[in-house]
Amino acid sequence: MDGNGRWAKARGKERIFGHIEGAESVRACLEAAVEDGVKYLSLYAFSEENWGRPQAEVNGLMELLIKYIQEEIDNMMSHHVRFVVLGHRERLSEKVNALIDEGMAKTASNDGTTLIVFLSYSGKWDILQAMKKAACELSPEQFQALEIKDFDRYLVTAGIPDPDFLIRTSGELRISNYLLWQTAYTEFYFTDTLWPDFRKPQFREALAEYARRDRRYGKVK
Ligand code: FPP
């Protein structure tokens, strides 16, 4: 969800205003996803690397997240949205973790769109924690016999299908340590639109582009 900072700067405002407006885009895109029957909507809201931002911005983002969860859980309930947070949660504050747990527990049996918010996440961290988990759980023989299809269950995304489509806003052309393992055959979509300007029409334009893609998974059709 890139471009919040630039959106704010272009208006002579502090970066946090861009994040606040970005949260409105989150609301709009979730609404569109629910309306259009998208089964999983994943948002890369805060990377492990983002902890290195100025403390005031980190605090502002955490406050925004708290506010979002407090305000949106009831709305998610009425739209059957399952709320999930994935990432290195030990790094989040007790307050944030408690709210996340509460929101996840409340929406756990909803069977509509699953909204996954990646917080304190990095793809390399995910692969490493998966390796460690597998090494602890398995005997050396089982570890040696581990196959690609069996590795998925150790990643934080266990049980969640790999993403079909990845949207990156604001003209950035990188994956920035997002779902490195899981995006092996994901279709990418890059747009110059800054995240605060990415609303329902832009989301639907992206989905229409996805519908035009020809997915061959390395094979011949
Ligand atoms: C990247 O843009 C954006 C972030 C690091 C934060 C994303 C957070 C939100 C959209 C709001 C809260 C999230 C939820 C789920 C309610 P940037 O700051 O790097 O922008 P720049 O590239 O223009 O500097």
Side-chain angles (χ1 to χ4, degrees):
M1 299 186 282
D2 262 302
N4 297 345
R6 277 164 284 167
W7 186 93
K9 196 174 168 202
R11 286 157 183 79
K13 292 185 170 183
E14 298 283 331
R15 294 175 56 81
I16 194 66
F17 287 98
H19 297 313
I20 292 168
E21 203 56 31
E24 294 307 316
S25 294
V26 168
R27 286 187 175 91
C29 290
L30 175 61
E31 210 173 286
V34 169
E35 287 167 5
D36 295 0
V38 173
K39 288 303 288 174
Y40 292 88
L41 178 69
S42 304
L43 303 171
Y44 197 12
F46 194 86
S47 70
E48 283 272 63
E49 290 79 10
N50 288 155
W51 288 114
R53 291 193 175 199
Q55 196 57 46
E57 185 171 345
V58 171
N59 293 346
L61 277 168
M62 292 299 150
E63 285 305 318
L64 202 54
L65 212 80
I66 289 172
K67 190 167 171 276
Y68 178 80
I69 300 173
Q70 285 171 336
E71 288 175 0
E72 293 300 320
I73 290 295
D74 287 346
N75 194 22
M76 288 185 207
M77 285 306 290
S78 49
H79 290 94
H80 316 286
V81 172
R82 179 165 69 118
F83 173 68
V84 174
V85 170
L86 298 176
H88 194 177
R89 289 198 40 198
E90 290 80 359
R91 295 190 73 179
L92 300 171
S93 73
E94 258 179 55
K95 183 179 174 189
V96 172
N97 269 322
L99 257 174
I100 291 171
D101 285 338
E102 198 185 318
M104 283 177 60
K106 201 166 174 190
T107 62
S109 53
N110 288 348
D111 60 0
T113 301
T114 296
L115 171 70
I116 308 169
V117 179
F118 283 89
L119 281 187
S120 193
Y121 180 85
S122 101
K124 287 190 177 184
W125 165 82
D126 194 6
I127 294 168
L128 187 64
Q129 70 78 33
M131 291 276 287
K132 290 177 181 172
K133 217 187 283 171
C136 284
E137 268 182 40
L138 304 173
S139 69
E141 292 74 25
Q142 286 171 325
F143 190 78
Q144 282 304 321
L146 196 60
E147 291 188 27
I148 289 173
K149 65 175 172 44
D150 302 321
F151 191 65
D152 283 352
R153 84 169 75 115
Y154 298 102
L155 295 163
V156 293
T157 48
I160 293 165
D162 287 347
D164 288 315
F165 195 50
L166 187 149
I167 299 168
R168 182 146 196 184
T169 55
S170 87
E172 303 291 359
L173 305 175
R174 295 182 296 276
I175 191 153
S176 295
N177 214 349
Y178 191 37
L179 298 162
L180 300 180
W181 176 278
Q182 298 89 335
T183 51
Y185 271 99
T186 297
E187 295 290 327
F188 285 76
Y189 178 88
F190 297 105
T191 171
D192 287 338
T193 304
L194 304 178
W195 177 252
D197 293 326
F198 196 87
R199 298 287 164 97
K200 276 188 182 185
Q202 291 76 15
F203 184 78
R204 290 195 161 122
E205 198 180 312
L207 289 196
E209 162 66 21
Y210 174 73
R212 290 191 289 271
R213 298 280 175 96
D214 180 23
R215 303 186 74 187
R216 294 185 300 283
Y217 301 93
K219 300 184 178 74
V220 177
K221 262 196 175 163

